[in-house]
Amino acid sequence: MSVINLLLQLIGALGFLLYGMKLMSDGIQKSAGESLHRILGLMTGNRVLAMLTGMFITMIIQSSGATTVMVVSFVNAGLLSLTQSVGIIFGANIGTTITAWIVAFFGFNFKISAMAIPLFGIGFFLTSFKKIKRQNVGEALMGFGLLFLGLDLLSKAIPTLDASSIGFLSAWTDKGLLSILIGIIAGMIITVLLHSSSASTAIILTMSYNGLLPWEFAASMVLGSNIGSTIDAVIAAWGTKVNARRAALIHVMFNVTGTVLAAIFLRPLLTLVDFLVP
């Protein structure tokens, strides 16, 4: 029965995410005037600005998954070109590291779900009052709210996954190259299940702090979480236009390529980190 309940929870969460994205995309398409096009054009005018935009947005909302889902939606709505989206996606990958530092220093993580209900409520009232003539904006805000709620529900679908429940991984930490591969796969799977690289990073840091994971294995798991974090963009790309799917694919290719390169040069990378953080 618990398996059926889990499947129903996942289906419901996916429904919130995908419908929220459609609602947001439709609302933006209807309400987007020249001013919004100009603002987005200025923010993504060149690669550096686009990257800084992605980094800044992700630092504020503390979720690269939400940022990339929004980017896919904007590309699908025709508000961003594929070229503009690439810089934002790259910046989101930098911005998401801020959350890891917050977890490392404070053990605190901003909950994006806190934005879901207020956004949906504001959007609903905007669609209800016809005199305001902001129904399309309200529809987009309701979409944002459902999108954030869907991401949160996906992350809570498996609530028992924590440092204690995956302690068995410590038995695989002294197998040489096999340990690195297992660490990457484990980090990827945990992040896919939780739909949050921030949550998986917090678990990895907790296990490392408690001495359950050695430095090299923990680093491998962090690399794997980098691949797992692309799951939301992949889901969001279902049923979208070709450029939106391409944007999601670029996100996947960027993270996979970065992880493979880091895995190949893992030991020199660890030596560098040891030098920077002795």
Side-chain angles (χ1 to χ4, degrees):
M1 194 67 182
S2 59
V3 175
I4 296 174
N5 183 55
L6 175 61
L7 286 173
L8 291 174
Q9 292 284 335
L10 288 172
I11 291 169
L14 282 171
F16 272 114
L17 176 65
L18 295 174
Y19 182 69
M21 188 179 155
K22 181 183 183 301
L23 199 63
M24 180 178 69
S25 181
D26 291 345
I28 289 172
Q29 280 181 303
K30 293 173 187 174
S31 63
E34 288 299 318
S35 57
L36 183 56
H37 278 285
R38 282 198 300 270
I39 291 169
L40 287 172
L42 287 172
M43 292 172 68
T44 59
N46 58 56
R47 292 181 189 134
V48 176
L49 276 177
M51 186 181 71
L52 290 174
T53 299
M55 187 170 67
F56 183 69
I57 292 171
T58 306
M59 286 168 62
I60 291 175
I61 66 175
Q62 301 255 323
S63 173
S64 61
T67 303
T68 51
V69 167
M70 284 189 284
V71 168
V72 170
S73 181
F74 286 168
V75 173
N76 192 53
L79 292 174
L80 286 174
S81 68
L82 183 62
T83 304
Q84 289 172 320
S85 71
V86 172
I88 300 176
I89 289 169
F90 289 0
N93 279 280
I94 300 173
T96 194
T97 62
I98 299 298
T99 305
W101 283 106
I102 291 173
V103 171
F105 282 120
F106 305 111
F108 170 79
N109 182 27
F110 175 76
K111 298 297 182 186
I112 196 171
S113 57
M115 299 171 62
I117 294 175
L119 279 173
F120 189 88
I122 294 169
F124 176 77
F125 282 111
L126 286 176
T127 58
S128 300
F129 294 110
K130 306 296 182 184
K131 291 182 180 179
I132 300 177
K133 295 181 180 178
R134 289 290 182 270
Q135 286 84 6
N136 296 330
V137 175
E139 191 176 310
L141 287 175
M142 289 172 69
F144 268 113
L146 289 177
L147 187 153
F148 291 154
L149 184 62
L151 287 172
D152 183 62
L153 290 172
L154 281 173
S155 69
K156 290 178 178 176
I158 309 177
T160 56
L161 191 60
D162 54 24
S164 60
S165 63
I166 57 173
F168 68 90
L169 289 173
S170 58
W172 298 90
T173 59
D174 56 352
K175 311 293 184 183
L177 290 175
L178 180 61
S179 291
I180 295 173
L181 182 60
I182 291 173
I184 291 172
I185 293 172
M188 181 175 68
I189 292 173
I190 291 169
T191 307
V192 166
L193 291 175
L194 294 177
H195 283 268
S196 171
S197 59
S198 301
S200 60
T201 299
I203 291 174
I204 295 166
L205 291 174
T206 301
M207 295 180 72
S208 300
Y209 180 77
N210 292 325
L212 295 174
L213 297 177
W215 165 216
E216 186 180 86
F217 194 82
S220 302
M221 289 184 69
V222 169
L223 292 180
S225 72
N226 199 39
I227 298 176
S229 66
T230 64
I231 184 66
D232 291 321
V234 172
I235 292 172
W238 289 352
T240 56
K241 296 174 184 175
V242 65
N243 272 352
R245 295 198 300 273
R246 285 172 178 166
L249 179 60
I250 287 170
H251 180 44
V252 173
M253 290 175 66
F254 178 76
N255 284 31
V256 170
T257 302
T259 298
V260 170
L261 287 173
I264 291 171
F265 299 102
L266 184 61
R267 288 198 168 85
L269 179 63
L270 297 185
T271 302
L272 175 62
V273 175
D274 279 332
F275 173 76
L276 295 173
V277 188

